[in-house]
Amino acid sequence: MAELAPYAVSEANSRGRNMAEEAPCGRSEFQRDRDRIIHSGAFRRLEYKTQVFVNHEGDLFRTRLTHSIEVAQIARSIARRLRLNEDLVEAISLAHDLGHTPFGHAGQDALNTCMKEYGGFEHNLQSLRVVDLLEERYAAFDGLNLCFETREGILKHCSATNAAKLGELGERFLHNRRPSLEAQIANLADEIAYNNHDVDDGIRSGLIELDQLAAVPLVARHLHEVRAAYPDLPERRVVHETVRRMINTLVSDLIRQSERNISAQGLSTIEDVRNAPVMIAFSAEVIEQQRALKNFLHTHLYRHYRVMRMSSKAQRIISDLFAIFMQDVRLLPPPFQRQTEPERARAVADYIAGMTDRYAIREHRRIFAVEEVLA
Ligand code: MG
């Protein structure tokens, strides 16, 4: 492997872990973080959490688990080319969605509304809460005791109020500083992954059609190339070949533009990275093309009436569960029971956020369906 760039995060410049531990044997500190994430319960639950389509709608749709693995793959390719810390980007990518509620963004919005009087709910902050506190696997500490740089990468955004409570980790939001380049990569790899797999899943679901996407320049360009070169290719393979080329274009553009930014800025240390503007970026042209694709997906996929029906059902499940648990603490499993109202609200949010789609549906049925009692 090529030597790391001088401005990459390394074990030598890492700010380390909250609880000091012996150095790992035979693997790097960031490989240890990745391994802890993979062995966590929250990571396994990602398999049964919605990305856009509820897990039971079909076996081939992305879930939060396969999404996170795709993000890690894209992020590692970029990090390697830029001589940045691949193990760190992998750890951040695999952990970035650990705090997601069941039912994707509909679930997050519903839980945030329920939590309005209690400090709100934000899935990004929840991912940090999972790795810092909620995972109970180690004898010596709560959470996974990850390195500062992994935790920094997980926390993509944060309000000033929350940042003020996070100590060293929140500082950059208050003082307008940047996270590592590795964190910046994981952030954009997330965007590349979901824009492209949502095209693929959207077409597979039948909610959008490939020909509609010909109005989106980023898709159109590759679609025309594929159709011209392979006129008899079955439609499903046209989709894959088009999406494959789109990912390649985005990754190559990101690498080229970031290299330009880094050399123009003259970065030489990790401190330079934190004080510089965002360096990992697409070219202006590709930003425009991605925006057009996002707008298309918003209008035609995320707001499709069939997706909206699912979202509306999901919101009801979450707000019903929240309300009943707040009303009667005895219905909660004992580890989540709290007596004061604000503490109870946070524990209920942790409990609900930890649920998979199907667990939330089952829990709702167990509590509200009369026939469950009679059966
Ligand atoms: Mg994501």
Side-chain angles (χ1 to χ4, degrees):
M1 197 162 55
E3 207 184 313
L4 287 181
Y7 40 80
V9 171
S10 65
E11 287 183 295
N13 64 30
S14 169
R15 296 192 198 172
R17 305 174 189 276
N18 275 343
M19 292 268 298
E21 292 187 60
E22 262 179 54
C25 180
R27 54 181 173 166
S28 74
E29 292 284 3
F30 298 106
Q31 284 172 334
R32 171 150 77 178
D33 279 6
R34 175 207 53 205
D35 299 347
R36 287 183 177 183
I37 291 158
I38 288 177
H39 288 275
S40 71
F43 185 73
R44 283 195 300 285
R45 287 200 293 262
L46 294 176
E47 183 175 2
Y48 300 102
K49 291 194 180 200
T50 296
Q51 188 66 30
V52 173
F53 299 93
V54 174
N55 176 261
H56 59 247
E57 287 181 289
D59 291 346
L60 281 175
F61 293 121
R62 267 71 174 189
T63 66
R64 292 241 165 244
L65 180 65
T66 60
H67 162 71
S68 300
I69 294 171
E70 289 182 26
V71 174
Q73 178 273 314
I74 291 169
R76 286 187 60 165
S77 304
I78 298 165
R80 189 176 313 161
R81 280 285 302 276
L82 296 176
R83 295 192 298 127
L84 296 167
N85 194 323
E86 250 184 275
D87 297 330
L88 174 58
V89 294
E90 185 180 23
I92 297 170
S93 303
L94 293 178
H96 84 285
D97 272 351
L98 288 180
H100 245 292
T101 60
F103 311 120
H105 284 277
Q108 130 92 26
D109 292 346
L111 197 51
N112 188 30
T113 306
C114 296
M115 286 293 289
K116 216 162 65 197
E117 290 166 44
Y118 310 101
F121 178 88
E122 215 269 291
H123 69 84
N124 201 216
L125 199 57
Q126 189 72 8
S127 298
L128 187 69
R129 196 169 155 79
V130 168
V131 300
D132 278 359
L133 189 70
L134 298 179
E135 280 291 323
E136 295 177 332
R137 313 188 69 79
Y138 296 90
F141 45 79
D142 287 339
L144 306 179
N145 195 33
L146 302 180
C147 293
F148 174 87
E149 293 75 13
T150 309
R151 299 168 59 235
E152 170 194 61
I154 292 172
L155 193 66
K156 279 194 266 190
H157 31 75
C158 186
S159 67
T161 324
N162 286 325
K165 295 179 205 151
L166 290 171
E168 200 187 5
L169 201 64
E171 272 171 22
R172 74 180 163 93
F173 300 98
L174 303 171
H175 301 118
N176 189 29
R177 282 155 56 89
R178 251 54 54 195
S180 69
L181 297 179
E182 286 81 356
Q184 297 179 31
I185 288 176
N187 186 18
L188 291 184
D190 185 22
E191 203 174 312
I192 295 175
Y194 66 68
N195 280 329
N196 285 284
H197 64 50
D198 288 353
V199 167
D200 184 33
D201 281 353
I203 294 170
R204 176 175 290 107
S205 69
L207 301 187
I208 54 176
E209 280 173 27
L210 191 53
D211 288 326
Q212 275 178 288
L213 278 152
V216 180
L218 182 64
V219 185
R221 186 174 126 206
H222 297 294
L223 180 58
H224 293 149
E225 276 173 18
V226 173
R227 285 215 165 118
Y230 303 95
D232 301 322
L233 202 62
E235 196 72 351
R236 204 53 238 168
R237 276 173 72 168
V238 173
V239 174
H240 287 307
E241 185 63 31
T242 303
V243 169
R244 180 181 85 76
R245 291 175 184 220
M246 282 161 53
I247 296 176
N248 201 32
T249 296
L250 295 171
V251 168
S252 309
D253 179 82
L254 186 73
I255 291 168
R256 260 196 317 272
Q257 185 61 45
S258 304
E259 275 170 344
R260 272 199 291 267
N261 295 346
I262 290 168
S263 76
Q265 184 72 23
L267 296 180
S268 53
T269 66
I270 180 77
E271 260 315 288
D272 294 346
V273 170
R274 299 188 192 281
N275 291 318
V278 169
M279 292 282 112
I280 304 296
F282 297 106
S283 66
E285 188 195 347
V286 162
I287 289 174
E288 200 35 62
Q289 291 178 357
Q290 284 235 94
R291 188 171 304 143
L293 173 59
K294 264 187 212 183
N295 289 342
F296 176 92
L297 289 171
H298 263 280
T299 314
H300 299 281
L301 182 60
Y302 310 141
R303 293 204 205 115
H304 191 286
Y305 82 96
R306 280 172 51 200
V307 174
M308 293 309 294
R309 283 184 183 185
M310 194 285 285
S311 302
S312 141
K313 225 180 279 183
Q315 281 171 354
R316 251 186 327 276
I317 290 176
I318 288 191
S319 49
D320 285 353
L321 287 175
F322 187 87
I324 197 92
F325 291 140
M326 287 304 283
Q327 202 182 310
D328 189 348
V329 70
R330 296 168 303 175
L331 302 181
L332 276 167
F336 293 95
Q337 293 185 7
R338 301 283 187 286
Q339 293 315 316
T340 76
E341 198 179 299
E343 280 177 14
R344 188 188 307 173
R346 188 54 64 189
V348 168
D350 288 339
Y351 181 47
I352 293 177
M355 293 178 185
T356 60
D357 297 351
R358 61 187 190 178
Y359 186 90
I361 293 167
R362 243 185 271 143
E363 186 77 336
H364 190 269
R365 206 180 297 140
R366 273 195 291 260
I367 292 176
F368 292 98
V370 177
E371 58 274 24
E372 284 283 303
V373 182
L374 299 177

